[in-house]
Amino acid sequence: SSAGGVCGRNSGMVLSSRNEAEIQVTDLGRSTSESMAGGICGENAGYIADCVNTAPTSSAVWAGGISAFCDRGIITRCYNTGVVTAPVYAGHYPTGGIVHLLGRGKRISYCAFETGSAPVGASVWNGGTLLAIEPLEPAEMQGLIADINVIPDD
């Protein structure tokens, strides 16, 4: 299954959202594409912008601070401070502070993740593009997140 703090699968738009709840997906013993955990969305084939995840995210297969798998989707101006835990996928793709695996010619841009939350910002497969994804120290991340205009829950 795919799980996220806002949605399991996104093919539309997720804007100005924040997650503070731990996301954990266990291995269901079926296909590897069914065990995805993302701080905002498990899978993204749409548009995610101006979002923040501050909670741990883990999966038996794929996990990302914002989305585990971004295939044909775009993620921009998103930030993660939560620790991301999952195995290295296919022996080549480590977990990402923003996305575990980005593919099919889409992009992640102007995002930041806290140093130590994951080994990389994102792993690229099949032609995805990374633009300005930065690891930042905790104090820098807290200052950045404080300036984000996330819509309050009320």
Side-chain angles (χ1 to χ4, degrees), residues 44-46 62 67-75 93 99-108 122-130:
N44 180 48
W62 295 356
S67 179
F69 186 49
C70 184
D71 188 30
R72 299 183 180 151
I74 294 172
I75 297 174
Y93 306 106
V99 170
H100 196 149
L101 197 60
L102 168 69
R104 297 200 204 191
K106 291 305 176 179
R107 82 173 179 268
I108 302 170
S123 293
V124 177
W125 159 81
N126 200 17
T129 302
L130 303 177

Side-chain angles (χ1 to χ4, degrees), residues 43-63:
E43 298 175 64
N44 180 48
Y47 183 75
I48 300 174
D50 303 309
C51 294
V52 176
N53 177 59
T54 60
T57 305
S58 64
S59 171
V61 182
W62 295 356

Side-chain angles (χ1 to χ4, degrees), residues 8 20 46 55 65 69 78 84 107 112 117 125 129 133 143 150:
E20 297 176 351
F69 186 49
C78 291
V84 182
R107 82 173 179 268
S117 66
W125 159 81
T129 302
I133 298 178
V150 175

Side-chain angles (χ1 to χ4, degrees), residues 1 9 16 22 24 36 42 45 50 68 73 78 83 111 128 141:
S1 68
R9 293 185 177 133
S16 300
E22 181 175 357
Q24 183 178 22
M36 300 183 195
D50 303 309
C78 291
V83 173
C111 295
M141 285 299 294

